[in-house]
Amino acid sequence: MTNQTHHETVATTPERYRTAVVPHIAVADAAEALSFYVRAFGAVEDFRLDAPGGGVLHAEIRIGEAVLMLGDRAEGHFASPAALGGTSAALHVYVPDVDALVGTAVAAGAELLQEPADQFHGDRTAVLRDLSGHVWVFLTHLEDVSGPELEARLGAAQQVSAH
């Protein structure tokens, strides 16, 4: 058995999440959002199609193994969280070191909503809000947890939070 810290991972992304739905988000200023995601989350810009009249029609980035599509908001059908007054979705991304990512993201201007902490489900998790208002849940996988163990841990976590 190795002596693991929360910075070392069992696997970068659990198998069931490796072929997930690709989110496509709208932002008020896609060029600025792309720059922010590179600085804050270590994103890599894979593709960018600028709109003929200015702005970004479509872009694709990678954060760790996750792919995200984004573009400038389009009135009538593709609104940013700021235009809606909030968001109903969170973007979950597995990364090798959630603590390091949080430090970089906060320094770049992200709002920390939940400090990194080990969770009952086997991941170390933190929650951030980006400059456009999107909520991000970053996770570092620590261990695989069986169904029965997950239920037992959830029960124990609920008892602790009730006290």
Side-chain angles (χ1 to χ4, degrees):
M1 181 172 175
T2 62
N3 188 9
Q4 273 188 332
T5 68
H6 64 268
H7 297 289
E8 297 171 327
T9 60
V10 175
T12 55
T13 304
E15 181 65 35
R16 68 180 278 125
Y17 299 117
R18 291 189 186 152
T19 55
V21 172
V22 176
H24 189 160
I25 62 172
V27 295
D29 183 343
E32 175 55 35
L34 287 165
S35 177
F36 170 78
Y37 295 145
V38 168
R39 289 189 323 271
F41 305 152
V44 174
E45 188 175 313
D46 287 333
F47 177 79
R48 179 174 174 163
L49 181 61
D50 290 327
V56 177
L57 184 64
H58 180 83
E60 296 178 12
I61 61 173
R62 278 178 294 115
I63 301 170
E65 297 176 47
V67 174
L68 174 74
M69 298 177 184
L70 67 137
D72 285 308
R73 68 177 184 256
E75 296 302 323
H77 70 279
F78 200 47
S80 67
L84 297 172
T87 183
S88 64
L91 304 164
H92 287 233
V93 180
Y94 282 88
V95 297
D97 186 345
V98 70
D99 293 85
L101 182 133
V102 165
T104 302
V106 169
E111 178 186 358
L112 182 60
L113 302 177
Q114 178 186 311
E115 293 276 347
D118 294 353
Q119 302 296 327
F120 68 92
H121 46 77
D123 299 315
R124 186 164 177 80
T125 305
V127 182
L128 297 157
R129 185 181 341 265
D130 70 21
L131 300 177
S132 298
H134 293 283
V135 173
W136 295 77
V137 179
F138 286 100
L139 310 98
T140 296
H141 190 62
L142 301 176
E143 63 178 320
D144 294 331
V145 181
S146 69
E149 178 64 18
L150 184 63
E151 289 178 21
R153 289 181 183 187
L154 174 59
Q158 288 173 328
Q159 287 178 352
V160 168
S161 67
H163 290 27

